Each structure stands twice: as C-alpha cells, then as structure tokens.
Amino acid sequence: EAAQSLRSPNLPVTWDPGNPSEETMLKVVPPDSLKALGLGFFDNQLSKVFHADMLEIISALITLVHFTVYTWTPTAALTPDDLSWQTLRRAAIEHRLLSFPSTHNDAGDHNFIQECTRVATLFWIAMYLADPIRRKLVAPFNSLLRQTLERSGLQSLWYPHSALLLWIVTIGAFIAKNGDEYDWFATIAAKVATYLQVTKIADLKTVLQGFCYIDSIQHQVLAKLVRQFDKYLRLSHTQVRYYDLNTSPEGCSTHAVRDSR
C-alpha cells in the first residue's frame, strides 16, 4: 500500500531475507545485456553524490534484477524458497527506498540528484518487477518526479551527471500519460540524448543499461520514445529550457560529459 502512494511504510523490515544464498546465485548467469547493469550509479562522480545506504540499496536491486531475469528463462531451476526470497527481497528494497529521507532543501543541492534517482527507481521497480497493476497506481505520482527535477536547477546541477538524468527522464516518459506530462519528459530526454550524442537506439540502450534497463521488456517503449526525438527537438516547449546546446556551462563540453559516462 505504501509503494502504491509513495509513502513511507509503517512497519519494521525484520522480514528482509537479505542476500540470496551462494547456492542460489551460482545458478544465475546474467546475459551480456545485464552485465553493466547499475554500474553507472557507482562511477567516480556519482558514488560521491549518493549516500552509502543508497548505494547499498542499488546494489541489492542489481542482484534482484539478475535473479528475476533468470526466473524468466525456460530452464530456470527454481525452488519455492527461491521464489519466496524474490518476492520478499523486492518488497524490502522498495521499503528502504520509500523510507529513505528526502534531505534536499536548496536548489542546486546534490540531494536533489539522490531524490530524483530514488523516485525514478521506485517507478522502475513498479513498472518492470512488480504486479502490472502497480504502473497504473503509481502513475499519478509522476508529477512529483517532474516537480523535483524542475526545482533541482536542471541547467547546471545535472551536466556532470547527464547520463543519469537521461535514465531518469526516460523513466518519467515511460510512466507518463500522453499530453503535457509526456511531452515534458520526452523533450528533456531528446535534449539530453542529443547533448550526449546518443540519439540512436543502440547507443541510448548502452547508457540505460548502465543504470536499470531490461531490453526484453523495455525495447518497445524505448523505440517509441526515440522515434519521437526529432519531433520534440523541433517543437518549441517554452517550459522546457534545459540542455540547449548553446547554454552548456563553460568548460563542460559534450565530449567531456560523454567520457564521464
């Protein structure tokens, strides 16, 4: 119930099963498309932005995703204990994300980056790891992600972390309904992808796979978004004045940002 309304749960996490057994993980061999999963959160710059507890949550999520994708394979050797672990561990990860304090106060504070990442991660779990009904239940809260991004000082704060921003706004676009909300996220995604020179779907996938992305279930929505990039770059959305190439901060070139990714 808390996850459906992005509230902090009022219960302890004594039921968290913790890391899977070594025997269980020996069965899991991530496909090539998942081998870089989550590494973007741990790069030299972002690892200094995120709290250690947030990085621990993300690390647990990466393990869960590897296991979940394994359960989708026809030859998966699963026990009832494995499936129980999967359900409880996902709920525990959501619990920790929902309970993680929002500590940002001033625009430009790096806690904005952590807060936007926290909300986007909750949305991603709801869309791709939980019951399908959860997408409809959390969709109305997408406006919270937009509001936090708008308050964060998009033009300056996010340039060194443009790859992460691209992942966050694509999640926003995936969950948004058609209309102003979708247009806003799609426009930001198109601008940041252009800034990073990753407007081809294969290049964009490489960026997203460094955070949280499962191609087998996200390819279609990503392809739809990429097909619309030219449209959103041509349109003049006066409310979206971020990541115009002629407004890049001095000394922060496209090449430098691409290298940091």
Side-chain angles (χ1 to χ4, degrees):
E1 290 178 357
Q4 290 169 6
S5 56
L6 297 186
R7 291 181 291 105
S8 178
N10 294 317
L11 74 163
V13 201
T14 53
W15 41 269
D16 182 357
N19 292 322
S21 67
E22 184 176 346
E23 179 183 1
T24 296
M25 289 312 297
L26 283 174
K27 296 187 279 188
V28 179
V29 179
D32 289 343
S33 61
L34 291 182
K35 288 183 177 177
L37 188 79
L39 295 182
F41 294 113
F42 295 89
D43 74 11
N44 290 334
Q45 290 181 318
L46 278 177
S47 62
K48 298 173 184 176
V49 172
F50 291 127
H51 190 282
D53 290 346
M54 179 61 71
L55 292 174
E56 184 178 338
I57 295 169
I58 291 170
S59 179
L61 175 60
I62 294 167
T63 300
L64 175 67
V65 174
H66 285 163
F67 180 83
T68 300
V69 172
Y70 166 73
T71 68
W72 297 341
T73 61
T75 57
L78 300 170
T79 67
D81 286 344
D82 289 336
L83 297 175
S84 176
W85 175 86
Q86 179 187 14
T87 301
L88 287 174
R89 189 59 162 165
R90 190 201 72 218
I93 289 169
E94 288 187 290
H95 185 298
R96 289 195 159 88
L97 286 169
L98 289 164
S99 304
F100 206 88
S102 300
T103 55
H104 59 264
N105 295 307
D106 303 318
D109 189 330
H110 277 192
N111 284 306
F112 274 115
I113 294 176
Q114 184 164 265
E115 176 63 2
C116 291
T117 301
R118 181 185 77 91
V119 175
T121 304
L122 282 164
F123 286 157
W124 189 85
I125 292 171
M127 285 191 291
Y128 301 114
L129 298 185
D131 191 294
I133 190 66
R134 286 277 299 284
R135 175 173 182 167
K136 294 181 179 179
L137 292 170
V138 302
F141 297 92
N142 202 22
S143 59
L144 295 177
L145 180 58
R146 175 177 173 176
Q147 290 167 14
T148 308
L149 282 166
E150 288 183 314
R151 290 177 55 207
S152 70
L154 273 168
Q155 195 66 26
S156 57
L157 175 66
W158 287 91
Y159 272 112
H161 313 295
S162 297
L164 174 62
L165 177 61
L166 182 55
W167 176 74
I168 290 171
V169 293
T170 57
I171 297 301
F174 293 164
I175 204 169
K177 296 180 180 179
N178 290 332
D180 176 70
E181 195 92 329
Y182 181 85
D183 292 347
W184 191 89
F185 282 105
T187 301
I188 293 288
K191 287 188 173 186
V192 180
T194 301
Y195 180 75
L196 288 171
Q197 298 183 359
V198 291
T199 52
K200 293 182 179 179
I201 190 167
D203 296 333
L204 186 53
K205 282 181 183 181
T206 299
V207 175
L208 300 181
Q209 286 167 347
F211 298 99
C212 286
Y213 177 83
I214 304 174
D215 192 51
S216 60
I217 55 176
Q218 292 187 253
H219 171 80
Q220 289 186 342
V221 287
L222 181 63
K224 174 189 172 184
L225 179 63
V226 172
R227 284 196 300 269
Q228 296 175 317
F229 275 178
D230 287 343
K231 165 188 169 183
Y232 283 107
L233 289 172
R234 287 195 306 267
L235 291 178
S236 177
H237 289 279
T238 57
Q239 74 274 31
V240 183
R241 299 176 179 173
Y242 313 113
Y243 277 78
D244 295 318
L245 295 182
N246 60 352
T247 58
S248 303
E250 185 178 356
C252 186
S253 67
T254 304
H255 179 73
V257 175
R258 205 165 59 246
D259 284 350
S260 73
R261 174 172 59 78

